[in-house]
Amino acid sequence: MAIIILVGPPGAGKGTQAARLVEQYGFAWVSTGDTLRQNIKSNTLLGQKARSYMDAGKLVPDDLLVDMLKAELSNHPKKVTLLDGYPRNAVQAETLSGLGELGAVRLALHLDVPASILSSRISKRSAEEGRSDDTPEKLKVRLDVYEKETFPILNYYKKKNLYARVDADASMETVYSRIQEVLTKATLI
Ligand code: AMP
């Protein structure tokens, strides 16, 4: 199975763009953040363990996520899968590349947005969705985590020739057509 990973800071529009791609191209969509939120709602053991990290805007420890990731990826064995929110650090990038039998990363799509415009996007989402980690203080922590831990993994994919950057500081429509261009070039659509 081919995996497209979506990498970008909180508020870059990963979820919005993924939803459109799923609708148009029938991709499968695995969002570790959404699956964790469902686990919290259903009060599973994983949800109980993950909650305090998520509430603080920090990363949930890597080892808690491996089984969840494997289960999610095995749900869609034949489809191109958008992986949204994973990997978020170097250890997770290695874990994913070790899961070859469940899928291989074909592209790391970087939705690049300057940090300065993220807080207004996030406060809009906060009002619409009421996510408990969308407050200004937690956004700061999440941005920090993104810059220190997640952003560096883009280099890992550059070295493997799997990296593509999309300038995501534009309207949803414009960003979507830029993504379509990149996916066309990579023969993924
Ligand atoms: P998201 O919806 O992708 O912004 O994720 C929300 C929160 O879930 C993050 O701030 C983390 O606490 C947790 N989370 C989601 N994906 C991961 C991951 N790959 N590694 C660690 N924590 C994660």
Side-chain angles (χ1 to χ4, degrees):
M1 177 181 71
I3 295 176
I4 301 169
I5 62 174
L6 297 174
V7 185
K14 297 187 293 289
T16 310
Q17 299 295 343
R20 290 200 59 179
L21 291 166
V22 166
E23 194 182 312
Q24 184 165 3
Y25 300 107
F27 294 160
W29 180 10
V30 171
S31 159
T32 47
D34 280 352
T35 310
L36 285 167
R37 281 184 285 277
Q38 279 160 19
N39 273 272
I40 290 179
K41 246 195 199 158
S42 331
N43 201 24
T44 64
L45 191 58
L46 171 60
Q48 290 168 17
K49 289 180 181 165
R51 178 175 216 141
S52 59
Y53 298 97
M54 292 177 72
D55 279 346
K58 294 185 180 156
L59 292 185
V60 175
D62 302 325
D63 54 332
L64 291 183
L65 300 180
V66 179
D67 287 343
M68 176 187 104
L69 180 71
K70 284 186 187 166
E72 288 290 308
L73 289 178
S74 9
N75 278 339
H76 318 279
K78 294 210 178 81
K79 290 190 173 177
V80 173
T81 297
L82 296 174
L83 186 50
D84 168 5
Y86 195 103
R88 269 199 158 75
N89 61 25
V91 171
Q92 295 183 7
E94 287 296 349
T95 301
L96 182 61
S97 76
L99 295 180
E101 76 283 2
L102 295 177
V105 175
R106 286 277 310 279
L107 193 71
L109 191 63
H110 175 202
L111 297 188
D112 196 6
V113 186
S116 54
I117 71 155
L118 293 171
S119 54
S120 65
R121 283 199 191 179
I122 293 265
S123 43
K124 197 165 158 250
R125 177 167 81 187
S126 173
E128 283 165 7
E129 294 176 20
R131 268 178 59 165
S132 63
D133 58 353
D134 272 351
T135 61
E137 307 78 57
K138 287 172 192 167
L139 173 63
K140 199 175 166 304
V141 178
R142 288 160 67 216
L143 273 175
D144 230 45
V145 170
Y146 175 77
E147 269 156 31
K148 293 206 178 97
E149 303 204 40
T150 309
F151 185 77
I153 66 170
L154 292 170
N155 255 329
Y156 174 92
Y157 292 106
K158 274 180 199 163
K159 282 185 197 142
K160 290 177 179 261
N161 267 331
L162 294 171
Y163 172 83
R165 175 185 177 270
V166 165
D167 176 356
D169 183 9
S171 70
M172 196 178 92
E173 286 301 323
T174 306
V175 176
Y176 189 65
S177 17
R178 288 174 184 165
I179 293 175
Q180 284 176 309
E181 263 171 49
V182 168
L183 295 184
T184 305
K185 254 191 215 154
T187 64
L188 284 159
I189 54 174

